[in-house]
């Protein structure tokens, strides 16, 4: 698949790739004129306008005609929230690559809600599709600007009929590393095809929508924890809590959770003491996302006896000790099921609001939106430092060593993928975390799968 600065459509697809097929935001009743602005990631001041644009666009996506949307992607997620998001990000990248303006996020109907496959994402982010083509961004709209996002030289013919591409769990042409981690040589050759940029655009959109729909609950957590008055590290501790199956088979648990927690608190206290200048204006606090409720109280007990770093979490329901937490946990009513997904997504949302994120063990949960957000924050911070702005605590994505006695932190995606740490703290002779890259990228050796996907949807053309 050769990359070309232009994607070619035949005469039947031309309206689909043009602005004419996208419902006008400015003419919608009751909505102010949302004119394009020139950036790909809105600043805080612009996010209100961007959110309003998204709300209108997603509402219109519920009832598009075949002429307005001749090709549609229906993505069916499976498994846990991190598992599905890293794959949804590949579906989103696929849509960007082949100029399909929207993606429907759906999920197996595990909550037995009347909304069926739409229930979970309707509950998390509201009704409607995810927007890939975002005219709101003006010249920095990746979908419309081939200079920002090169695409294959592709011809697609939907033959005058509406075509639906159904993707279930894995995305054709995308996959994990051939081994446990991606060879850096492969990634440096440009095979990521702009996926870091589309990942952040997707995750930013998801978090903005979730933040709006659940703003009352989020604000309550922010107020109780005094989130904005601290420099917050997000800590993900996935113990398994009695879970077997895939979690146990991959050896993702901790050998001795009690010792691990003790060593980690000592490690963080030492880090805080040696970097006190970063915490002079705002003290350090740790937001904990975990599948085991007792982890939070144990961390706080250890901290109270040492350096008194606050360890906090949101108000949510945890499974009983040893009760297991899995994506297919059975609930006696749909509301409890949906609230369980909301709890998980809330932790992920708050991780994206943190200064840095620390993964206790490798997990698709932290390798989805949290990883993407930390890399974007680090990139922006580097630019601000080049401009001479005040220096604050670096934005890190960190992995804790096997025994909890070291942390290895990255500030670039390539650095993290290559396990080249920007900063290591603790026992340098300690065992690094046994890493597995859950993040997925295009696989150039699976091009036939992409062709099969289009043919299966009744779409002809050269891809």
């Amino acid at each position: 698949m050769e990359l070309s600065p232009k994607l070619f459509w035949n005469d039947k697809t031309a309206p689909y790739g043009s602005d004419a097929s996208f419902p006008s935001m400015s003419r919608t009743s009751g909505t102010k004129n949302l004119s394009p602005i020139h950036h790909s990631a809105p600043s805080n001041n612009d996010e209100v306008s961007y959110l309003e644009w998204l709300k209108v666009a997603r509402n219109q996506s519920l009832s598009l005609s075949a002429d307005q949307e001749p090709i549609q992607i229906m993505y069916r997620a499976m498994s846990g929230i991190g598992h599905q998001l890293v794959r949804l990000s590949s579906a989103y990248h696929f849509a960007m690559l082949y100029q399909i303006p929207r993606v429907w996020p759906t999920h197996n109907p595990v909550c037995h809600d009347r909304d069926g496959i739409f229930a979970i994402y309707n509950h998390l982010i509201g009704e409607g599709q995810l927007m890939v083509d975002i005219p709101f961004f003006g010249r920095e709209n990746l979908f419309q600007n081939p200079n920002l996002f090169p695409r294959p030289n592709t011809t697609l013919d939907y033959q005058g009929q509406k075509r639906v591409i159904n993707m279930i769990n894995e995305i054709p042409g995308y996959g994990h590393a051939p081994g446990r981690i991606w060879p850096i040589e492969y990634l440096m050759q440009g095979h990521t095809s702009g996926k870091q940029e589309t990942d952040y655009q997707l995750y930013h959109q998801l978090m903005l929508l979730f933040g709006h729909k659940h703003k009352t609950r989020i604000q309550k957590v922010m107020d109780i924890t005094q989130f904005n008055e601290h420099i917050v590290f997000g800590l993900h501790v996935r113990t398994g809590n009695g879970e077997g199956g895939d979690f146990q088979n991959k050896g993702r648990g901790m050998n001795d959770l009690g010792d691990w927690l003790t060593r980690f608190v000592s490690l963080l206290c030492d880090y805080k003491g040696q970097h006190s200048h970063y915490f002079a204006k705002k003290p350090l606090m740790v937001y904990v996302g975990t599948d085991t409720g007792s982890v939070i109280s144990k961390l706080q007990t250890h901290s109270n006896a040492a350096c008194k770093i606050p360890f906090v979490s949101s108000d949510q329901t945890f499974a009983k000790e040893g009760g297991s937490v899995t994506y297919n946990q059975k609930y006696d009513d749909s509301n409890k099921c949906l609230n369980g997904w909301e709890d998980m997504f809330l932790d992920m949302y708050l991780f994206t609001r943190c200064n840095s994120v620390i993964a206790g063990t490798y997990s698709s949960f932290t390798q989805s939106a949290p990883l993407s957000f930390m890399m974007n924050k680090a990139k922006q911070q580097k630019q601000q430092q080049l401009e001479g702005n005040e220096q604050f605590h670096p934005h890190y994505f960190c992995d804790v060593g096997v025994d909890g006695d070291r942390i290895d932190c990255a500030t670039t995606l390539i650095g993290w993928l290559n396990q080249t740490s920007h900063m290591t703290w603790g026992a340098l002779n300690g065992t690094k975390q046994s890493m597995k890259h859950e993040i997925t990228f295009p696989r150039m050796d699976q091009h036939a799968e992409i062709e099969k996907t289009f043919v299966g949807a009744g779409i002809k053309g050269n891809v």
Side-chain angles (χ1 to χ4, degrees):
M1 184 189 303
E2 294 183 1
L3 291 181
S4 167
K6 185 175 182 180
L7 175 66
F8 295 93
W9 295 83
N10 67 10
D11 57 349
K12 294 182 180 178
T13 61
Y16 179 48
S18 68
D19 288 338
S21 70
F22 194 89
S24 170
M25 299 300 106
S26 60
R27 294 195 296 270
T28 302
S29 175
T31 302
K32 64 182 180 179
N33 191 335
L34 303 177
S35 60
I37 52 179
H38 304 302
H39 48 62
S40 58
S43 66
N44 291 337
N45 293 333
D46 296 317
E47 283 197 338
V48 173
S49 297
Y50 177 39
L51 175 61
E52 289 303 311
W53 185 93
L54 281 173
K55 288 160 61 178
V56 173
R58 298 187 76 229
N59 181 61
Q60 293 182 342
S61 77
L62 296 170
S63 55
L64 295 175
S65 67
D67 288 337
Q68 292 171 315
E69 188 175 51
I71 302 178
Q72 183 181 77
I73 291 181
M74 296 288 291
Y75 174 66
R76 178 78 69 89
M78 298 176 65
S79 302
I81 196 71
H83 176 101
Q84 35 183 294
L85 289 189
V86 296
R87 288 155 179 80
L88 177 58
S89 75
S90 291
Y92 191 89
H93 182 265
F94 181 100
M96 186 75 76
L97 204 60
Y98 294 102
Q99 294 280 272
I100 301 170
R102 307 162 196 84
V103 174
W104 265 112
T106 71
H107 193 284
N108 281 347
V110 295
C111 288
H112 307 292
D113 184 90
R114 65 178 181 273
D115 289 339
I117 62 173
F118 300 100
I120 290 176
Y121 279 96
N122 283 357
H123 179 79
L124 293 175
I125 61 172
E127 291 184 302
Q129 301 189 58
L130 292 168
M131 309 311 295
V132 183
D133 181 12
I134 306 179
F136 180 87
F137 290 156
R139 287 192 298 269
E140 293 193 13
N141 180 10
L142 297 178
F143 192 91
Q144 297 289 351
N145 191 338
N147 293 321
L148 296 177
F149 190 85
R151 304 178 182 93
N153 185 6
T154 300
T155 301
L156 298 179
D157 179 4
Y158 54 88
Q159 304 179 78
Q161 299 183 40
K162 182 159 186 171
R163 303 296 180 177
V164 179
I165 300 174
N166 289 296
M167 297 178 171
I168 301 176
N169 192 26
E170 302 294 350
I171 308 304
Y174 292 72
H176 293 91
R180 293 183 65 85
I181 64 175
W182 282 99
I184 200 65
E185 296 79 14
Y186 180 88
L187 301 175
M188 291 297 288
Q189 290 170 4
H191 293 159
T192 59
S193 300
K195 191 166 184 294
Q196 183 174 0
E197 288 72 28
T198 60
D199 279 4
Y200 180 73
Q201 182 167 298
L202 166 68
Y203 293 136
H204 179 256
Q205 184 175 157
L206 286 171
M207 297 305 138
L208 195 60
L209 293 168
F210 180 85
H212 171 70
K213 192 170 190 298
H214 303 275
K215 57 187 175 183
T216 300
R217 184 181 182 191
I218 291 169
Q219 192 58 53
K220 182 179 178 181
V221 177
M222 302 284 281
D223 290 343
I224 291 174
T225 62
Q226 297 184 307
F227 200 97
N228 290 331
E229 280 69 58
H230 292 82
I231 293 177
V232 186
F233 290 177
L235 172 64
H236 188 237
V237 182
R238 180 84 156 87
T239 72
N241 195 14
E243 183 179 340
D246 182 72
F247 185 88
Q248 188 177 55
N249 293 337
K250 290 181 178 178
R252 291 173 55 195
M254 296 167 179
N255 295 329
D256 189 316
L257 178 60
D259 287 346
W260 190 96
L261 295 174
T262 301
R263 284 190 286 267
F264 176 77
V265 170
S266 176
L267 181 69
L268 203 59
C269 285
D270 186 41
Y271 180 84
K272 173 192 171 186
Q274 294 295 320
H275 298 83
S276 58
H277 58 288
Y278 284 129
F279 310 112
K281 292 183 178 180
K282 290 185 177 182
L284 175 62
M285 181 173 76
V286 179
Y287 179 85
V288 183
T290 182
D291 56 0
T292 307
S294 63
V295 161
I296 302 162
S297 59
K298 290 176 180 177
L299 285 166
Q300 191 60 67
T301 297
H302 292 315
S303 181
N304 288 341
C307 61
K308 296 181 170 52
I309 298 172
F311 284 81
V312 301
S313 68
S314 66
D315 181 17
Q316 57 183 265
T317 302
F318 293 98
K320 65 181 181 179
E321 296 292 306
S324 179
V325 179
T326 64
Y327 67 91
N328 57 0
Q329 180 177 343
K330 304 299 182 183
Y331 292 89
D332 53 12
D333 67 62
S334 62
N335 286 334
K336 286 184 179 180
C337 177
L338 294 172
N339 288 337
W341 287 97
E342 181 185 321
D343 286 346
M344 290 184 282
F345 213 93
L346 176 62
D347 281 344
M348 184 173 289
Y349 173 87
L350 290 169
F351 277 176
T352 67
R353 296 286 298 268
C354 289
N355 170 276
S356 298
V357 171
I358 304 172
T361 58
Y362 83 84
S363 170
S364 55
F365 188 94
T366 49
Q367 291 183 27
S368 56
L371 172 64
S372 180
F373 265 74
M374 292 309 109
M375 297 299 96
N376 186 71
K377 288 182 181 184
K379 181 179 179 180
Q380 291 181 343
Q381 187 178 54
K382 182 178 180 180
Q383 181 61 40
Q384 290 168 356
Q385 290 173 348
L386 291 174
E387 295 171 356
N389 294 341
E390 183 179 357
Q391 292 193 15
F392 298 96
H393 187 278
H395 296 291
Y396 290 136
F397 184 87
C398 307
D399 296 295
V400 184
V402 171
D403 298 315
D405 57 356
R406 66 179 286 165
I407 52 174
D408 297 280
C409 303
T411 57
T412 67
L413 182 62
I414 289 294
W416 177 78
L417 290 167
N418 196 32
Q419 295 191 297
T420 303
S421 301
H422 179 87
M423 188 278 295
T424 295
W425 191 260
L428 298 181
N429 60 348
T431 304
K432 294 179 68 173
Q433 187 176 133
S434 179
M435 177 56 61
K436 181 179 185 299
H437 290 157
E438 295 290 345
I439 187 171
T440 56
F441 286 109
R443 292 285 299 273
M444 295 300 109
D445 58 344
Q446 295 183 10
H447 182 65
E449 294 299 314
I450 297 176
E451 293 181 336
K452 188 186 302 182
T453 298
F454 285 116
V455 171
I459 301 169
K460 294 183 178 181
N462 172 32
V463 297

